[in-house]
Amino acid sequence: MHPLRSCFSVLFVVYLLQCKLFFVHCILDPLDFLALQSVRKSLDDMPGSNFFASWDFTSDPCNFAGVYCESDRVIALNLGDPRAGSPGLIGRLDPAIGKLSSLTELSVVPGRIMGSLPQSISQLKDLRFLAISRNFLSGGIPATLGQLRNLKTLDLSYNQLTGDIPRSIGTIPGLSTVILCHNRISGSVPPFLSETLTRLELKHNELSGSISPTSLPPSLQYLSLSWNRLSGPVDLLLIRLDRLNYLDLSMNQFSGCIPSRIFSFPITNLQLQRNSFSGPVQPGVEVTIPTVDLSYNRLSGGVSPMFSTVQNLYLNNNRFIGQVPGSFVDRLLDASIQVLYLQHNYLTGMQINPTVEIPLSSSLCLQYNCMVPPIQTPCPLKAGKQRTRPTAQCNEWRG
């Protein structure tokens, strides 16, 4: 017999004897007992962590920190001290974790867990919650995770995962939350078929290609795809997502128009900056989204007065023309607008008294347009030092 197996067997016998001696019901399923021992063997506390101090296998494992049982089975395993700032664990996830066949919840606190995600996790058919973020997991996301048909939450963020997002994950019927941000995932965004998906966070990866208009469900409330290399139009996709309260598509290569309908969605933060969106932007109603960032695109036409109800508005570095609507002046002066960045466009005027004082709580930047700024206000350093755009550029744009 292998010496490790012999050691495990001895510990399990001791555990059984203690249960009988003290008349305690603590008969954990043998497979779960051995699986927990394998998990423990592959992990250690980082300096300052005492998570495994209670993991004494001569006592009832159901009383271990992070282990939750129902009858004789482990149903939840939360590895590491969950308190904020606590050191995590170091080591690897042992494939024996897949033997905890009644597990519904598996989480690992931030630490230094390395290696790949065990394929055996796909054997946990009752798993509903899988969260292993802010560690050092590497390799690909197993396509077999798509076999977890009861999974609701998948969070593998802030690791070093590579490869693509398996299409099989998008077919899990009851997914509500998918967080894969801050990895090195490449390829395209697969279709997600779950009609209960509310949060999809894929920012800071290496995703590319276009997104099909029907690939994301209307149930989405939070969508973050920033800092990738995604491209193509998204107007037909966005008009279907009318339950969004957060949308961040910034730092990509999306193109085409921005549909006016999205400005009436219940969004609290709209981030579309640093793409290649083009054409006019004309909301049909007053925009009540607190923060709207459309900067660094190729948007054109006039600045809509419907934007004057936005608290923080970034329209800089586009191709807007014409006069700044008077409604912006009114709201600037009563401090309703906190940020109004219009620099680096082709605007020709703003009717504001040069002697008026902008409230200290408000920021206005007008430089590098086709006008002399009627009022001098501090601008961000990125705006440069030139107050006005060269006349030749303005004439060429008008022509």
Side-chain angles (χ1 to χ4, degrees):
M1 180 180 290
H2 192 281
L4 284 178
R5 185 175 295 276
S6 175
C7 178
F8 291 166
S9 300
V10 169
L11 285 172
F12 190 63
V13 169
V14 172
Y15 163 66
L16 291 177
L17 286 174
Q18 286 199 345
C19 291
K20 290 181 179 179
L21 284 172
F22 294 103
F23 302 102
V24 178
H25 177 72
C26 53
I27 308 298
L28 185 66
D29 182 275
L31 287 178
D32 284 15
F33 185 92
L34 295 175
L36 288 176
Q37 286 191 320
S38 296
V39 169
R40 172 64 186 92
K41 181 177 176 293
S42 65
L43 296 172
D44 279 304
D45 283 304
M46 287 179 63
S49 172
N50 294 307
F51 175 74
F52 282 124
S54 65
W55 282 48
D56 176 3
F57 284 93
T58 62
S59 62
D60 185 0
C62 293
N63 294 325
F64 291 177
V67 176
Y68 302 89
C69 300
E70 190 172 276
S71 186
D72 64 341
R73 305 308 302 270
V74 177
I75 60 168
L77 184 59
N78 306 134
L79 294 170
D81 187 339
R83 290 176 296 183
S86 296
L89 307 176
I90 187 168
R92 297 173 180 268
L93 292 175
D94 193 282
I97 207 163
K99 299 293 185 182
L100 298 170
S101 57
S102 295
L103 211 59
T104 62
E105 179 178 325
L106 173 59
S107 66
V108 182
V109 302
R112 297 188 66 83
I113 305 297
M114 302 182 183
S116 59
L117 194 66
Q119 293 266 358
S120 60
I121 287 178
S122 60
Q123 299 169 17
L124 304 174
K125 303 304 182 185
D126 294 328
L127 199 65
R128 295 196 295 267
F129 183 90
L130 175 58
I132 308 173
S133 66
R134 297 181 185 273
N135 277 279
F136 290 83
L137 291 177
S138 58
I141 301 172
T144 51
L145 288 187
Q147 297 172 18
L148 301 176
R149 308 307 284 177
N150 291 306
L151 196 65
K152 307 296 183 189
T153 296
L154 175 63
D155 183 357
L156 301 176
S157 58
Y158 292 88
N159 281 288
Q160 298 176 359
L161 297 170
T162 54
D164 59 6
I165 302 172
R167 292 179 69 90
S168 59
I169 290 177
T171 68
I172 298 174
L175 269 181
S176 62
T177 300
V178 176
I179 306 176
L180 301 175
C181 60
H182 289 269
N183 279 287
R184 300 170 185 171
I185 301 169
S186 57
S188 59
V189 177
F192 284 87
L193 306 181
S194 170
E195 296 179 358
T196 58
L197 187 65
T198 57
R199 185 183 186 99
L200 180 61
E201 195 166 346
L202 305 178
K203 66 182 179 182
H204 283 268
N205 277 292
E206 299 171 10
L207 296 166
S208 60
S210 59
I211 304 176
S212 164
T214 58
S215 62
L216 302 180
S219 55
L220 272 176
Q221 297 175 21
Y222 186 107
L223 177 60
S224 178
L225 303 176
S226 62
W227 290 88
N228 281 287
R229 295 196 296 270
L230 296 165
S231 59
V234 289
D235 53 327
L236 297 180
L237 168 71
L238 292 179
I239 60 175
R240 298 175 60 250
L241 306 181
D242 58 1
R243 300 179 199 173
L244 284 173
N245 56 50
Y246 182 92
L247 177 61
D248 187 355
L249 304 183
S250 63
M251 308 297 291
N252 279 288
Q253 299 162 20
F254 290 121
S255 58
C257 66
I258 297 174
S260 59
R261 188 180 167 193
I262 71 166
F263 296 106
S264 63
F265 291 174
I267 297 174
T268 57
N269 198 316
L270 179 60
Q271 305 283 333
L272 301 180
Q273 69 271 24
R274 295 185 183 273
N275 279 285
S276 298
F277 291 117
S278 59
V281 186
Q282 296 294 331
V285 296
E286 286 189 340
V287 181
T288 58
I289 302 170
T291 297
V292 174
D293 193 340
L294 308 182
S295 63
Y296 294 92
N297 279 288
R298 300 173 184 174
L299 302 170
S300 58
V303 174
S304 170
M306 296 299 182
F307 282 122
S308 64
T309 46
V310 176
Q311 293 175 16
N312 303 288
L313 181 63
Y314 303 85
L315 298 180
N316 54 287
N317 296 81
N318 277 289
R319 300 171 182 176
F320 289 112
I321 60 172
Q323 293 268 330
V324 178
S327 54
F328 282 95
V329 177
D330 298 336
R331 292 185 60 79
L332 261 175
L333 297 182
D334 68 15
S336 298
I337 294 178
Q338 296 175 7
V339 176
L340 179 59
Y341 280 181
L342 299 172
Q343 68 270 22
H344 286 258
N345 280 288
Y346 293 81
L347 298 170
T348 52
M350 183 177 188
Q351 297 299 317
I352 187 170
N353 188 330
T355 63
V356 77
E357 290 190 9
I358 301 294
L360 292 175
S361 60
S362 300
S363 295
L364 169 67
C365 185
L366 292 171
Q367 72 184 47
Y368 209 73
N369 276 286
C370 297
M371 61 174 171
V372 175
I375 187 169
Q376 296 306 307
T377 55
C379 285
L381 289 175
K382 285 184 179 180
K385 296 181 179 179
Q386 285 185 274
R387 293 178 61 200
T388 61
R389 185 179 286 276
T391 303
Q393 288 186 19
C394 294
N395 292 337
E396 181 181 347
W397 188 250
R398 287 171 189 153

